[in-house]
Amino acid sequence: MLTPPRTVVRREGGIYALERALQRRGFRIVAGADEAGRGACAGPLVAAAAVLPEGKRGEIDELTDSKLLTPAARERVYAEVVKRALAYAVVIIPAAEVDSRGLHVCNLAAMRRALAALTTRPEYVLTDGFGVDGLGVPGLAVWKGDQVAACVAAASVLAKVTRDRLMVEMHERFPQYGFDEHKGYVTPEHNAALASHGPCAEHRFSYVNVATVSGRDSRPPRSRRPATVGVLEPMGQAVPAGGTVGVALAEGARLPLSVGEDVAMEGGVR
């Protein structure tokens, strides 16, 4: 398998320098992958992958780590990524699956699925923080990749905006927890709501704070089943489907698709 010769990428080169260096070495299609929701104790884990075009078209104002952007800026950048990306995909893992399979396993699987869903096959993959194996192409785990590599930052924004929208929708079903404010993360307000109301079906019972207030010793209630998540249209409206994973498409919604661990999925393309 080809690997690029040693290249020095200088910090002053900015967020596009790493991708440009790889492209000069012959890796023209560079994909980035990132997730949102690892640290949350409620709601889904969301992973995204994105391929930005070369040159000026791939340069997006304000693009950086989604956590460093205001909600309004994230929405602006999200719209530009969707508009300009050569390909992108978003995968959603419900809380029930995080409990049953484990956070790290789900995180790797979600990024792997998102990358597999890209209709433009990458020649090189950059991931945030840790590597993802089994991709069939060279890859590099980049420390704080969402602040260093544009394609990883784009994936970060796609994942964060998608997840935040889902949490706002979840707030309408469970208003007592304030999901629209803290998005399921462990804040004092969220812990206070957990203590007062106990966990709901969208909490992750494998997390210590949820298990403690539930009195179930990390075991979710027997009645809970994995949430059904469908294929997402670009604006985040769910279409019922039979799988536990959803894919956001760059074009109009296609037929719902049940997805297994080793099944290739459809993604977006521009």
Side-chain angles (χ1 to χ4, degrees):
M1 181 179 294
L2 293 175
T3 55
R6 181 176 177 82
T7 300
V8 176
V9 180
R10 300 188 182 280
R11 184 178 296 274
E12 57 267 26
I15 198 170
Y16 298 95
L18 180 53
E19 284 169 77
R20 300 295 185 257
L22 287 167
Q23 288 161 351
R24 288 195 298 271
R25 293 295 184 179
F27 297 92
R28 303 294 298 276
I29 308 298
V30 182
D34 200 5
E35 53 71 33
R38 251 183 94 88
C41 67
L45 178 70
V46 178
V51 178
L52 296 176
E54 297 181 67
K56 291 294 185 181
R57 178 167 172 75
E59 296 182 7
I60 298 172
D61 290 342
E62 302 180 280
L63 180 62
T64 186
D65 175 6
S66 63
K67 297 183 292 296
L68 301 179
L69 296 171
T70 65
R74 277 197 297 268
E75 289 286 347
R76 290 194 298 270
V77 174
Y78 176 95
E80 287 298 312
V81 171
V82 168
K83 177 181 177 181
R84 300 188 188 201
L86 293 178
Y88 72 89
V90 178
V91 169
I92 302 163
I93 306 290
E97 191 169 341
V98 174
D99 280 342
S100 64
R101 302 184 63 199
L103 176 65
H104 189 61
V105 170
C106 285
N107 199 11
L108 289 176
M111 288 201 288
R112 192 178 294 116
R113 293 174 186 179
L115 288 162
L118 294 171
T119 53
T120 299
R121 179 174 172 78
E123 299 170 351
Y124 202 95
V125 170
L126 300 173
T127 54
D128 184 31
F130 50 85
V132 179
D133 58 8
L135 300 177
V137 296
L140 178 68
V142 183
W143 176 248
K144 293 188 176 180
D146 44 13
Q147 299 178 32
V148 175
C151 57
V152 179
S156 169
V157 170
L158 290 173
K160 174 66 173 169
V161 170
T162 298
R163 189 178 187 280
D164 283 358
R165 291 176 180 180
L166 291 172
M167 296 308 294
V168 170
E169 292 175 6
M170 195 178 296
H171 173 73
E172 297 178 3
R173 295 165 50 206
F174 304 104
Q176 65 270 36
Y177 299 103
F179 288 145
D180 59 332
E181 293 293 333
H182 53 67
K183 306 302 189 294
Y185 286 91
V186 184
T187 65
E189 294 77 15
H190 191 178
N191 277 335
L194 270 171
S196 297
H197 305 288
C200 71
E202 297 294 343
H203 278 96
R204 301 177 187 174
F205 287 78
S206 54
Y207 280 50
V208 172
N209 63 323
V210 179
T212 299
V213 298
S214 71
R216 302 191 63 84
D217 190 25
S218 300
R219 293 176 293 111
R222 188 181 299 273
S223 61
R224 190 175 78 164
R225 296 290 183 266
T228 298
V229 181
V231 178
L232 295 184
E233 295 181 5
M235 295 307 294
Q237 297 175 339
V239 179
T244 58
V245 180
V247 185
L249 306 176
E251 298 174 324
R254 306 173 191 176
L255 291 177
L257 178 68
S258 295
V259 180
E261 170 62 19
D262 297 319
V263 179
M265 301 186 304
E266 294 180 276
V269 60
R270 283 283 179 184

